[in-house]
Amino acid sequence: MYDLDKLIIMCREEKASDIHISAGLPLMMRVHGKLTQTLAQPDERQTQEMLYNLLSARQKEDFDKGLDIDFAVETSDGNRQRVNIFRQKGKIAATIRLLNNHIPTLEELHMPELLYKLAEEPRGLVLITGPTGSGKSTTLAAMIEHINKTRQDHIITIEDPIEYTYDSKLALIHQRETGRDVTDFAAALRSALREDPDIILVGEMRDYETIMAALTAAETGHLVLSTLHTTGAAQTVDRVIDACPSGNQNQVRTQLAGVLKGVITQCLMPVAGGGGRVAATEILLGTDAITNLIRENKSHQMGSMMQSGAGMGMHTLNMDLMRLMREGMIDRQTAFAYTNDRRDLEQYGL
């Protein structure tokens, strides 16, 4: 049988972030954001055996019913991987995200120091957003590990699946996996309020029920950290509100305005000249001016508010792209490829 453990370790040595395995197709890995073929090429039968052997009897049963399967697996080198097994054109396929065993610090991730302050908030809602593969889970893990080292608090994480594992230091940490420890995010959040938490990490705010449970947890004196798949801070506010029924949206605006501490949007871009990736960020803080815009449904004005709030640590994505260009970290072409407002970026004189 083909050795998946060795394959993952080999791809990790190549600095891959993801592996794509598809029966009948070349085996691919993503390195510094770009897909490339690996040297290893299992045939169709080997691919099926290799992936089926990762599944429990229950997971095989669910997969045969047509469900996609999400779980984490640990390789012999002690590193964890997030695995999604699915079908395409009737054949088995998988995407494997290679996670770091070491939880990096926010400083090692070159994230703004403001994230340390947001991690030290006693209560409220902090959202990390960005497209798939932008490093949201790693940023969240770095924030949780900072809390773990500095606060005597009870942290509950709700994940699908568990990605980074923590050793309790000053904090007590309980990690719950949906589908194994609890049925779903919303149910876990409701239970969490009866489990004496100080901080709750919600892997993703996927639906109205989860959003409402997260807002309630933040309102009742907890620090809630979560993620959304959005590409800008203003879009994040709109996404949270638009996920709710129209009759509830005014109430949700009021609740969100009352608890929001910050939104950090991030994207990972290739470094100029190759050799890695660097994160660009957009930061929105829950200032009085920003929360008024949320209540009044004027999220389109948040861009100018972030520009004028630079002294408090706020900035737009384009402001950070310009900073990275000045520092020689990215080139002009990359900046335009990742901007969420091309016309605004052109006004910087690029």
Side-chain angles (χ1 to χ4, degrees), residues 1-2 21-24 42-55 60 63-64 85 87 90-93:
M1 187 184 69
Y2 211 86
I21 304 172
S22 310
D43 62 32
E44 199 167 316
R45 180 187 58 79
Q46 289 172 323
T47 299
Q48 176 135 339
E49 287 182 0
M50 178 170 61
L51 295 179
Y52 254 86
N53 278 329
L54 292 176
L55 301 176
K60 287 176 185 174
F63 184 67
D64 290 338
I85 296 183
R87 277 195 176 85
K91 296 179 180 179
I92 195 168

mmCIF file of all heavy atoms in Angstrom, residues 1-2 21-24 42-55 60 63-64 85 87 90-93:
data_model
loop_
_atom_site.group_PDB
_atom_site.id
_atom_site.type_symbol
_atom_site.label_atom_id
_atom_site.label_comp_id
_atom_site.label_asym_id
_atom_site.label_seq_id
_atom_site.Cartn_x
_atom_site.Cartn_y
_atom_site.Cartn_z
ATOM 1 N N MET A 1 0.836 -1.204 0.000
ATOM 2 C CA MET A 1 0.000 0.000 0.000
ATOM 3 C C MET A 1 0.872 1.256 0.000
ATOM 4 O O MET A 1 1.949 1.276 0.594
ATOM 5 C CB MET A 1 -0.908 0.008 1.235
ATOM 6 C CG MET A 1 -1.927 1.122 1.244
ATOM 7 S SD MET A 1 -2.891 1.138 2.788
ATOM 8 C CE MET A 1 -1.629 1.662 3.954
ATOM 9 N N TYR A 2 0.418 2.302 -0.677
ATOM 10 C CA TYR A 2 1.166 3.547 -0.746
ATOM 11 C C TYR A 2 1.221 4.192 0.635
ATOM 12 O O TYR A 2 0.233 4.213 1.347
ATOM 13 C CB TYR A 2 0.490 4.497 -1.739
ATOM 14 C CG TYR A 2 1.468 5.396 -2.436
ATOM 15 C CD1 TYR A 2 2.127 4.975 -3.580
ATOM 16 C CD2 TYR A 2 1.762 6.653 -1.927
ATOM 17 C CE1 TYR A 2 3.031 5.809 -4.215
ATOM 18 C CE2 TYR A 2 2.661 7.484 -2.546
ATOM 19 C CZ TYR A 2 3.299 7.053 -3.696
ATOM 20 O OH TYR A 2 4.201 7.872 -4.311
ATOM 21 N N ILE A 21 -4.990 15.160 -3.647
ATOM 22 C CA ILE A 21 -4.913 13.771 -4.086
ATOM 23 C C ILE A 21 -6.229 13.421 -4.771
ATOM 24 O O ILE A 21 -7.303 13.552 -4.171
ATOM 25 C CB ILE A 21 -4.685 12.823 -2.894
ATOM 26 C CG1 ILE A 21 -3.419 13.224 -2.120
ATOM 27 C CG2 ILE A 21 -4.596 11.375 -3.356
ATOM 28 C CD1 ILE A 21 -3.227 12.461 -0.814
ATOM 29 N N SER A 22 -6.159 12.991 -6.022
ATOM 30 C CA SER A 22 -7.368 12.650 -6.783
ATOM 31 C C SER A 22 -7.107 11.385 -7.578
ATOM 32 O O SER A 22 -6.126 11.314 -8.323
ATOM 33 C CB SER A 22 -7.732 13.781 -7.758
ATOM 34 O OG SER A 22 -7.747 15.033 -7.108
ATOM 35 N N ALA A 23 -7.976 10.379 -7.416
ATOM 36 C CA ALA A 23 -7.834 9.122 -8.156
ATOM 37 C C ALA A 23 -7.852 9.410 -9.656
ATOM 38 O O ALA A 23 -8.756 10.066 -10.168
ATOM 39 C CB ALA A 23 -8.967 8.163 -7.790
ATOM 40 N N GLY A 24 -6.795 8.964 -10.343
ATOM 41 C CA GLY A 24 -6.716 9.142 -11.789
ATOM 42 C C GLY A 24 -6.117 10.454 -12.242
ATOM 43 O O GLY A 24 -5.989 10.697 -13.446
ATOM 44 N N PRO A 42 0.811 7.928 -6.980
ATOM 45 C CA PRO A 42 0.096 6.669 -6.775
ATOM 46 C C PRO A 42 -0.933 6.456 -7.882
ATOM 47 O O PRO A 42 -1.493 7.419 -8.410
ATOM 48 C CB PRO A 42 -0.591 6.873 -5.411
ATOM 49 C CG PRO A 42 -0.692 8.359 -5.256
ATOM 50 C CD PRO A 42 0.503 8.926 -5.947
ATOM 51 N N ASP A 43 -1.161 5.182 -8.231
ATOM 52 C CA ASP A 43 -2.182 4.924 -9.243
ATOM 53 C C ASP A 43 -3.570 4.990 -8.605
ATOM 54 O O ASP A 43 -3.714 5.205 -7.399
ATOM 55 C CB ASP A 43 -1.938 3.586 -9.953
ATOM 56 C CG ASP A 43 -1.992 2.382 -9.004
ATOM 57 O OD1 ASP A 43 -2.761 2.430 -8.016
ATOM 58 O OD2 ASP A 43 -1.276 1.390 -9.260
ATOM 59 N N GLU A 44 -4.609 4.775 -9.414
ATOM 60 C CA GLU A 44 -5.979 4.958 -8.949
ATOM 61 C C GLU A 44 -6.332 4.019 -7.802
ATOM 62 O O GLU A 44 -6.951 4.419 -6.818
ATOM 63 C CB GLU A 44 -6.942 4.743 -10.123
ATOM 64 C CG GLU A 44 -8.312 5.328 -9.891
ATOM 65 C CD GLU A 44 -9.140 5.393 -11.165
ATOM 66 O OE1 GLU A 44 -8.580 5.798 -12.206
ATOM 67 O OE2 GLU A 44 -10.330 5.046 -11.102
ATOM 68 N N ARG A 45 -5.908 2.763 -7.915
ATOM 69 C CA ARG A 45 -6.205 1.792 -6.855
ATOM 70 C C ARG A 45 -5.471 2.168 -5.571
ATOM 71 O O ARG A 45 -6.040 2.118 -4.474
ATOM 72 C CB ARG A 45 -5.794 0.387 -7.303
ATOM 73 C CG ARG A 45 -6.075 -0.712 -6.249
ATOM 74 C CD ARG A 45 -5.481 -2.044 -6.679
ATOM 75 N NE ARG A 45 -4.042 -1.967 -6.902
ATOM 76 C CZ ARG A 45 -3.140 -1.991 -5.911
ATOM 77 N NH1 ARG A 45 -3.527 -2.072 -4.648
ATOM 78 N NH2 ARG A 45 -1.851 -1.930 -6.200
ATOM 79 N N GLN A 46 -4.197 2.553 -5.688
ATOM 80 C CA GLN A 46 -3.415 2.942 -4.514
ATOM 81 C C GLN A 46 -4.030 4.178 -3.831
ATOM 82 O O GLN A 46 -4.080 4.263 -2.600
ATOM 83 C CB GLN A 46 -1.971 3.250 -4.917
ATOM 84 C CG GLN A 46 -1.170 2.030 -5.307
ATOM 85 C CD GLN A 46 0.198 2.409 -5.878
ATOM 86 O OE1 GLN A 46 0.332 3.407 -6.590
ATOM 87 N NE2 GLN A 46 1.198 1.600 -5.563
ATOM 88 N N THR A 47 -4.506 5.119 -4.643
ATOM 89 C CA THR A 47 -5.131 6.323 -4.092
ATOM 90 C C THR A 47 -6.351 5.965 -3.258
ATOM 91 O O THR A 47 -6.537 6.448 -2.136
ATOM 92 C CB THR A 47 -5.527 7.288 -5.223
ATOM 93 O OG1 THR A 47 -4.342 7.679 -5.926
ATOM 94 C CG2 THR A 47 -6.216 8.528 -4.676
ATOM 95 N N GLN A 48 -7.209 5.107 -3.814
ATOM 96 C CA GLN A 48 -8.426 4.716 -3.099
ATOM 97 C C GLN A 48 -8.090 4.020 -1.790
ATOM 98 O O GLN A 48 -8.664 4.327 -0.737
ATOM 99 C CB GLN A 48 -9.287 3.793 -3.977
ATOM 100 C CG GLN A 48 -10.511 3.277 -3.255
ATOM 101 C CD GLN A 48 -11.761 3.355 -4.098
ATOM 102 O OE1 GLN A 48 -11.847 4.119 -5.054
ATOM 103 N NE2 GLN A 48 -12.747 2.566 -3.737
ATOM 104 N N GLU A 49 -7.155 3.064 -1.819
ATOM 105 C CA GLU A 49 -6.766 2.336 -0.603
ATOM 106 C C GLU A 49 -6.174 3.294 0.429
ATOM 107 O O GLU A 49 -6.495 3.227 1.622
ATOM 108 C CB GLU A 49 -5.743 1.248 -0.950
ATOM 109 C CG GLU A 49 -6.334 0.043 -1.677
ATOM 110 C CD GLU A 49 -5.276 -1.016 -1.950
ATOM 111 O OE1 GLU A 49 -4.093 -0.794 -1.576
ATOM 112 O OE2 GLU A 49 -5.618 -2.057 -2.543
ATOM 113 N N MET A 50 -5.305 4.186 -0.034
ATOM 114 C CA MET A 50 -4.602 5.111 0.857
ATOM 115 C C MET A 50 -5.592 6.002 1.613
ATOM 116 O O MET A 50 -5.482 6.190 2.829
ATOM 117 C CB MET A 50 -3.643 5.962 0.014
ATOM 118 C CG MET A 50 -2.858 7.004 0.765
ATOM 119 S SD MET A 50 -1.574 7.737 -0.288
ATOM 120 C CE MET A 50 -2.544 8.466 -1.608
ATOM 121 N N LEU A 51 -6.598 6.511 0.905
ATOM 122 C CA LEU A 51 -7.550 7.412 1.539
ATOM 123 C C LEU A 51 -8.589 6.664 2.360
ATOM 124 O O LEU A 51 -8.972 7.114 3.440
ATOM 125 C CB LEU A 51 -8.220 8.289 0.473
ATOM 126 C CG LEU A 51 -7.277 9.253 -0.266
ATOM 127 C CD1 LEU A 51 -8.034 10.045 -1.321
ATOM 128 C CD2 LEU A 51 -6.566 10.197 0.693
ATOM 129 N N TYR A 52 -9.037 5.521 1.870
ATOM 130 C CA TYR A 52 -10.021 4.745 2.634
ATOM 131 C C TYR A 52 -9.444 4.292 3.966
ATOM 132 O O TYR A 52 -10.167 4.182 4.961
ATOM 133 C CB TYR A 52 -10.497 3.528 1.826
ATOM 134 C CG TYR A 52 -11.897 3.692 1.269
ATOM 135 C CD1 TYR A 52 -12.094 4.329 0.051
ATOM 136 C CD2 TYR A 52 -13.011 3.243 1.964
ATOM 137 C CE1 TYR A 52 -13.362 4.502 -0.466
ATOM 138 C CE2 TYR A 52 -14.287 3.409 1.457
ATOM 139 C CZ TYR A 52 -14.461 4.043 0.236
ATOM 140 O OH TYR A 52 -15.727 4.211 -0.251
ATOM 141 N N ASN A 53 -8.147 4.027 4.011
ATOM 142 C CA ASN A 53 -7.523 3.557 5.241
ATOM 143 C C ASN A 53 -7.457 4.638 6.317
ATOM 144 O O ASN A 53 -7.170 4.346 7.475
ATOM 145 C CB ASN A 53 -6.118 3.010 4.970
ATOM 146 C CG ASN A 53 -6.160 1.577 4.467
ATOM 147 O OD1 ASN A 53 -7.055 0.811 4.831
ATOM 148 N ND2 ASN A 53 -5.225 1.209 3.612
ATOM 149 N N LEU A 54 -7.717 5.900 5.939
ATOM 150 C CA LEU A 54 -7.760 6.975 6.928
ATOM 151 C C LEU A 54 -9.102 7.021 7.644
ATOM 152 O O LEU A 54 -9.221 7.631 8.712
ATOM 153 C CB LEU A 54 -7.534 8.328 6.241
ATOM 154 C CG LEU A 54 -6.149 8.615 5.658
ATOM 155 C CD1 LEU A 54 -6.178 9.961 4.943
ATOM 156 C CD2 LEU A 54 -5.094 8.621 6.752
ATOM 157 N N LEU A 55 -10.128 6.395 7.059
ATOM 158 C CA LEU A 55 -11.484 6.541 7.552
ATOM 159 C C LEU A 55 -11.867 5.470 8.558
ATOM 160 O O LEU A 55 -11.483 4.308 8.412
ATOM 161 C CB LEU A 55 -12.473 6.496 6.373
ATOM 162 C CG LEU A 55 -12.291 7.557 5.283
ATOM 163 C CD1 LEU A 55 -13.274 7.311 4.146
ATOM 164 C CD2 LEU A 55 -12.468 8.950 5.858
ATOM 165 N N LYS A 60 -16.543 5.788 6.727
ATOM 166 C CA LYS A 60 -16.720 5.083 5.444
ATOM 167 C C LYS A 60 -18.194 4.976 5.091
ATOM 168 O O LYS A 60 -18.596 5.180 3.934
ATOM 169 C CB LYS A 60 -16.092 3.687 5.520
ATOM 170 C CG LYS A 60 -14.574 3.687 5.510
ATOM 171 C CD LYS A 60 -14.036 2.268 5.699
ATOM 172 C CE LYS A 60 -12.512 2.300 5.816
ATOM 173 N NZ LYS A 60 -11.944 0.980 6.146
ATOM 174 N N PHE A 63 -19.329 8.395 4.002
ATOM 175 C CA PHE A 63 -18.756 8.710 2.690
ATOM 176 C C PHE A 63 -19.496 7.960 1.586
ATOM 177 O O PHE A 63 -19.784 8.525 0.522
ATOM 178 C CB PHE A 63 -17.262 8.365 2.679
ATOM 179 C CG PHE A 63 -16.566 8.753 1.400
ATOM 180 C CD1 PHE A 63 -16.399 10.081 1.053
ATOM 181 C CD2 PHE A 63 -16.078 7.778 0.539
ATOM 182 C CE1 PHE A 63 -15.758 10.439 -0.126
ATOM 183 C CE2 PHE A 63 -15.437 8.126 -0.644
ATOM 184 C CZ PHE A 63 -15.275 9.471 -0.977
ATOM 185 N N ASP A 64 -19.808 6.679 1.838
ATOM 186 C CA ASP A 64 -20.531 5.880 0.849
ATOM 187 C C ASP A 64 -21.951 6.391 0.631
ATOM 188 O O ASP A 64 -22.568 6.116 -0.398
ATOM 189 C CB ASP A 64 -20.556 4.398 1.266
ATOM 190 C CG ASP A 64 -19.177 3.744 1.165
ATOM 191 O OD1 ASP A 64 -18.339 4.277 0.405
ATOM 192 O OD2 ASP A 64 -18.937 2.723 1.840
ATOM 193 N N ILE A 85 -12.083 14.624 2.585
ATOM 194 C CA ILE A 85 -12.208 13.591 1.558
ATOM 195 C C ILE A 85 -13.562 13.751 0.875
ATOM 196 O O ILE A 85 -14.588 13.893 1.542
ATOM 197 C CB ILE A 85 -12.040 12.176 2.157
ATOM 198 C CG1 ILE A 85 -10.617 12.022 2.716
ATOM 199 C CG2 ILE A 85 -12.326 11.093 1.119
ATOM 200 C CD1 ILE A 85 -10.304 10.650 3.280
ATOM 201 N N ARG A 87 -15.736 13.320 -3.335
ATOM 202 C CA ARG A 87 -15.758 12.659 -4.645
ATOM 203 C C ARG A 87 -15.804 13.710 -5.752
ATOM 204 O O ARG A 87 -16.433 14.755 -5.606
ATOM 205 C CB ARG A 87 -16.983 11.751 -4.775
ATOM 206 C CG ARG A 87 -16.808 10.387 -4.152
ATOM 207 C CD ARG A 87 -17.893 9.409 -4.634
ATOM 208 N NE ARG A 87 -17.646 8.080 -4.089
ATOM 209 C CZ ARG A 87 -18.042 7.678 -2.904
ATOM 210 N NH1 ARG A 87 -18.697 8.531 -2.122
ATOM 211 N NH2 ARG A 87 -17.779 6.460 -2.482
ATOM 212 N N GLY A 90 -17.238 10.950 -9.632
ATOM 213 C CA GLY A 90 -17.465 9.598 -9.132
ATOM 214 C C GLY A 90 -16.259 8.932 -8.515
ATOM 215 O O GLY A 90 -16.343 7.781 -8.064
ATOM 216 N N LYS A 91 -15.119 9.644 -8.443
ATOM 217 C CA LYS A 91 -13.886 9.052 -7.905
ATOM 218 C C LYS A 91 -13.478 9.763 -6.619
ATOM 219 O O LYS A 91 -13.781 10.940 -6.423
ATOM 220 C CB LYS A 91 -12.759 9.133 -8.941
ATOM 221 C CG LYS A 91 -13.030 8.328 -10.204
ATOM 222 C CD LYS A 91 -11.900 8.463 -11.203
ATOM 223 C CE LYS A 91 -12.176 7.670 -12.465
ATOM 224 N NZ LYS A 91 -11.072 7.817 -13.456
ATOM 225 N N ILE A 92 -12.755 9.046 -5.763
ATOM 226 C CA ILE A 92 -12.340 9.593 -4.474
ATOM 227 C C ILE A 92 -11.240 10.641 -4.662
ATOM 228 O O ILE A 92 -10.395 10.536 -5.569
ATOM 229 C CB ILE A 92 -11.865 8.459 -3.538
ATOM 230 C CG1 ILE A 92 -11.786 8.948 -2.088
ATOM 231 C CG2 ILE A 92 -10.532 7.873 -4.010
ATOM 232 C CD1 ILE A 92 -11.604 7.827 -1.072
ATOM 233 N N ALA A 93 -11.288 11.672 -3.833
ATOM 234 C CA ALA A 93 -10.277 12.737 -3.858
ATOM 235 C C ALA A 93 -10.145 13.297 -2.448
ATOM 236 O O ALA A 93 -11.007 13.091 -1.596
ATOM 237 C CB ALA A 93 -10.673 13.837 -4.845
#
